[in-house]
Amino acid sequence: MHKKPVRPVLLVIAHGSRDPRHAATVHALVRRVRSMRPGVRVETGFLDFNIPSVQGVLESLAAEGVRDVVALPLLLTRAFHAKADIPAVLRDAPPQLRIRQAEVLGPSPLLLSALERRLYEAGLTPADKSSTGVVLASAGSTDPEAIAVIAEIAREWRRTGWCAVRPAFASAALPRTEDAVRELRSLGCSRVAVAPYVLAPGFLPDRIARGAAEADVLGDVLGASPEVAQVLLERYDEARVPTLAAVGA
């Protein structure tokens, strides 16, 4: 009998934060991923502030005899961390590990579904869409590619029936959330909602919430939602078997 090939370990790489809500949310998301795919071993490593570190997890896996790892950046855009920080950490991994870096989570239609669900949980209804302007509030980045992706997501989301959708950024780029809220008011949207396009609570999401003071509705962060967990597993599968997408399996 042939032994089934061992699935690569999924290493979820989170940024880390001094805010304890960040790590708690990451761990809740990982628990959901494990429950959705019990046959896959899922580990968590942090780039900063929290333990275990990515390097520490990789060394432990190598010491156990693990060979294949899919490293998945818990990020919504391909900004500095995905392009520089994470590849640098992975280059320093024990040489016996075969590591594939998965794509970041966004953009994905599932994430838009999660954003919309968060707004409905906060009090909107589908009937409110055409009269509601939405601020797509992201953490922000100095990377022009990441900024362009957020703007494109806003355009795409607008086409699903909202009065208007405007991107906003909590740092490194403009406009700020409060300015986007005012712009939507001036456009004549009868209701303004803020949808935080962030994964976990922390310093910048708190800044988004403050910027939403004049909005009618503030959605929760994406957090450990089933949609985020599903996207995470999709990215794992794409990295684990790069030919799957090509053959339509």
Side-chain angles (χ1 to χ4, degrees):
M1 259 177 63
H2 291 296
K3 283 175 67 177
K4 280 181 73 175
V6 177
R7 291 172 177 170
V9 171
L10 169 54
L11 172 58
V12 176
I13 300 180
H15 184 272
S17 170
R18 290 188 180 89
D19 188 320
R21 295 174 298 168
H22 172 87
T25 303
V26 171
H27 291 311
L29 176 60
V30 167
R31 283 194 298 274
R32 187 182 281 273
V33 170
R34 286 184 183 127
S35 71
M36 289 168 68
R37 192 74 66 85
V40 174
R41 177 175 174 184
V42 189
E43 299 291 343
T44 312
F46 294 91
L47 289 173
D48 213 349
F49 302 117
N50 303 101
I51 53 172
S53 68
V54 175
Q55 189 67 27
V57 175
L58 292 170
E59 287 169 4
S60 295
L61 291 172
E64 278 183 44
V66 168
R67 287 293 169 265
D68 288 292
V69 176
V70 169
L72 194 148
L74 198 58
L75 300 167
L76 294 170
T77 57
R78 266 183 53 75
F80 180 78
H81 294 301
K83 293 177 178 177
D85 280 6
I86 291 173
V89 172
L90 298 180
R91 278 195 296 272
D92 288 338
Q96 62 267 48
L97 291 175
R98 289 187 295 260
I99 303 175
R100 279 162 283 187
Q101 182 176 330
E103 287 296 330
V104 297
L105 301 180
S108 164
L110 281 166
L111 296 177
L112 277 183
S113 298
L115 284 169
E116 202 149 298
R117 190 166 57 77
R118 290 294 191 227
L119 291 179
Y120 294 151
E121 288 168 356
L124 287 181
T125 70
D128 297 325
K129 269 184 106 162
S130 61
S131 58
T132 301
V134 179
V135 179
L136 179 69
S138 118
S141 173
T142 54
D143 188 308
E145 182 190 346
I147 298 301
V149 165
I150 299 298
E152 177 55 34
I153 292 169
R155 283 192 291 273
E156 188 178 316
W157 204 14
R158 159 71 184 82
R159 289 196 284 268
T160 67
W162 296 101
C163 171
V165 180
R166 291 289 184 273
F169 307 93
S171 69
L174 294 172
R176 293 284 180 260
T177 303
E178 51 269 36
D179 299 322
V181 168
R182 290 182 194 120
E183 184 196 347
L184 289 170
R185 288 257 187 254
S186 70
L187 282 176
C189 297
S190 60
R191 204 178 288 96
V192 177
V194 173
Y197 190 57
V198 291
L199 285 165
F203 176 73
L204 292 176
D206 283 350
R207 182 181 283 177
I208 289 170
R210 289 194 297 276
E214 293 176 25
D216 301 293
V217 172
L218 170 63
D220 199 358
V221 300
L222 292 168
S225 63
E227 296 93 342
V228 175
Q230 185 61 47
V231 176
L232 210 147
L233 287 168
E234 286 180 5
R235 298 291 179 258
Y236 168 77
D237 288 336
E238 291 159 4
R240 178 173 68 97
V241 190
T243 53
L244 261 184
V247 299

